[in-house]
Amino acid sequence: MGRAPCCDKNNVKKGPWSPEEDAKLKEFIEKHGTGGNWIALPQKAGLRRCGKSCRLRWLNYLRPNIKHGEFTENEDRVICSMYASIGSRWSIIASQLPGRTDNDIKNYWNTKLKKKLLGSTAAPHPHRAPRQQQHHPPCLNLMLQHTSSPSLPQATYNSFFSGAGGVLHHDPIIPALALPQTPQDYMLSTGAGLGIPTNAPSSLLHAQQQQQFQHHLQQVVKEESGSMIVFGSDQQSCSSSDGGAHSQQPPQFGGHGHGKELSFDGYLFGYNNGGSGMEHDSRLLLHQLQDAHQQAHQQVPVEYNYEDIKQLLMSTTAAGSLHGGHEDGGMEGFGGGGSQGKVTMM
DNA sequence: AACCCGGCCAACCGCCCAACC
DNA sequence: GGGTTGGGCGGTTGGCCGGGT
């Protein structure tokens, strides 16, 4: 099938951007903005480029505050943790790392980080210490916590905010919500996010901070419920225990007036149609919730360390793709629920 | 000095989805 | 309601570069 190309490929320049083109694009966007239409932009800016190419060039290279160069250990940690949880959803991961682009992170992962994990032998851990006390190389430890919270599994909660914060707060494309502090700040400073490096200084893992953050966010979520996902009723709708398919059913979408609701495992998630792409976000998040839910039900508490991530990589490599879809016992618990049908890590 | 090879990264491609008409 | 369009995303490609032989 396919679709018509977004531009006349015969009349557009391809390949590396020249400094002149960069200058033109930058100047135009700084003066006029993108105008919300990338396809029309190159013509207006006097560029013989595809609109998508302009967008990419701007987002990945010309946009202000782009950070290039070495990734820090903290960034490594965040990438690994989130990869283990949500898979190769680079834009979400990038949203947790200000100044980094999804392309950057993708390249970094594919060329360095993955090899670092795959390539290094078990040398760092000749005999595995008890997991909790193990000293890992940076970024190699992910712990999903699960509490007996009656309102929401902790793992789910963490995943939710990790993903939600990323998508809603940092993505320049999606209107930002006024979250009080950035989730990645919390992730990095309190361990309250999805990835909680156990080798973080203990002061950064203060339980009270986590609670405060989560409570705070819960409040914000409630307050913002007119425009974003909310925790809802105690509706017991979709079961998660139907054998192998638990939590695999597609999100349940329903319509209620101007808003819509998503139900998942007894929780109801709703949002209003503000025309801001919230449905997309909501679906994304629901997938993350499903993943986290699955994790919480299968392995609680769940901890991934160096060997786990390595195994994940090796198994997916062996399968020739990350889109495995099979239920590999060794990899149970790794997230990536295949949002938009693209990523399946299970 | 020439060639080969692998790493790196910018850019492209194709698909999906939401918005729009 | 259905078709079209444009934005966004992840996967892949291709060219450059540096190190090794």
Side-chain angles (χ1 to χ4, degrees):
Chain A
M1 249 182 46
R3 45 170 301 179
C6 65
C7 52
D8 180 1
K9 299 205 180 226
N10 294 325
N11 277 327
V12 298
K13 187 176 172 229
K14 286 162 93 173
W17 281 65
S18 68
E20 292 77 25
E21 289 176 308
D22 279 349
K24 263 189 188 176
L25 180 60
K26 201 170 177 197
E27 191 187 338
F28 182 86
I29 293 179
E30 280 171 353
K31 264 189 190 167
H32 306 99
T34 65
N37 187 345
W38 284 105
I39 302 298
L41 188 143
Q43 204 176 9
K44 291 182 195 166
L47 289 162
R48 283 186 54 237
R49 289 278 182 175
C50 171
K52 284 189 170 189
S53 179
C54 292
R55 175 182 162 271
L56 215 59
R57 184 66 179 170
W58 172 256
L59 291 178
N60 288 339
Y61 198 80
L62 298 173
R63 159 169 74 106
N65 304 323
I66 289 287
K67 210 196 293 182
H68 286 109
E70 284 296 299
F71 280 69
T72 66
E73 286 191 2
N74 263 344
E75 288 172 321
D76 279 4
R77 276 190 210 108
V78 171
I79 294 169
C80 287
S81 296
M82 293 192 71
Y83 184 89
S85 170
I86 62 173
S88 55
R89 284 145 76 176
W90 306 117
S91 59
I92 295 177
I93 297 175
S95 70
Q96 298 293 335
L97 301 172
R100 299 294 188 186
T101 68
D102 54 355
N103 210 34
D104 253 359
I105 295 169
K106 182 170 57 181
N107 282 333
Y108 179 59
W109 172 264
N110 284 332
T111 59
K112 292 182 184 171
L113 214 43
K114 190 163 78 176
K115 284 172 189 165
K116 203 153 108 186
L117 300 182
L118 280 173
S120 48
T121 63
H125 319 291
H127 45 279
R128 280 170 81 166
R131 285 186 160 192
Q132 251 72 354
Q133 291 154 11
Q134 211 170 338
H135 274 289
H136 301 295
C139 88
L140 298 180
N141 204 339
L142 168 70
M143 179 184 289
L144 288 172
Q145 294 184 331
H146 181 266
T147 70
S148 56
S149 160
S151 59
L152 196 65
Q154 189 70 42
T156 302
Y157 196 79
N158 283 343
S159 278
F160 171 77
F161 284 117
S162 170
V167 170
L168 299 179
H169 190 72
H170 288 294
D171 192 323
I173 304 303
I174 296 171
L177 286 170
L179 290 176
Q181 292 192 44
T182 66
Q184 93 276 13
D185 284 344
Y186 270 90
M187 278 182 72
L188 296 177
S189 66
T190 72
L194 173 140
I196 304 171
T198 56
N199 56 350
S202 57
S203 64
L204 299 184
L205 296 170
H206 201 281
Q208 204 177 350
Q209 281 180 298
Q210 288 190 38
Q211 278 182 353
Q212 279 174 356
F213 171 57
Q214 289 167 0
H215 177 73
H216 197 137
L217 278 179
Q218 205 161 14
Q219 289 302 117
V220 171
V221 164
K222 282 176 184 164
E223 287 165 16
E224 293 282 352
S225 61
S227 60
M228 72 179 288
I229 292 177
V230 295
F231 297 131
S233 74
D234 56 355
Q235 175 180 328
Q236 300 297 320
S237 54
C238 81
S239 161
S240 64
S241 55
D242 53 346
H246 82 233
S247 293
Q248 295 290 343
Q249 57 266 69
Q252 310 290 312
F253 285 89
H256 283 274
H258 297 298
K260 291 187 180 177
E261 291 172 349
L262 311 165
S263 61
F264 169 64
D265 196 45
Y267 299 103
L268 188 65
F269 302 87
Y271 59 90
N272 287 343
N273 270 341
S276 60
M278 281 301 166
E279 178 172 347
H280 178 71
D281 294 340
S282 304
R283 292 172 65 176
L284 240 170
L285 290 169
L286 191 68
H287 282 297
Q288 290 176 11
L289 285 165
Q290 287 175 317
D291 299 339
H293 169 85
Q294 197 163 9
Q295 292 166 3
H297 278 252
Q298 286 178 343
Q299 301 181 0
V300 181
V302 183
E303 182 185 352
Y304 306 117
N305 62 13
Y306 174 84
E307 291 299 332
D308 295 326
I309 294 177
K310 187 173 167 184
Q311 275 181 32
L312 166 67
L313 289 173
M314 291 176 77
S315 74
T316 54
T317 301
S321 164
L322 290 176
H323 303 246
H326 67 101
E327 311 234 342
D328 182 335
M331 285 304 106
E332 275 184 17
F334 278 99
S339 164
Q340 301 177 357
K342 284 195 173 181
V343 178
T344 304
M345 303 282 298
M346 299 298 295

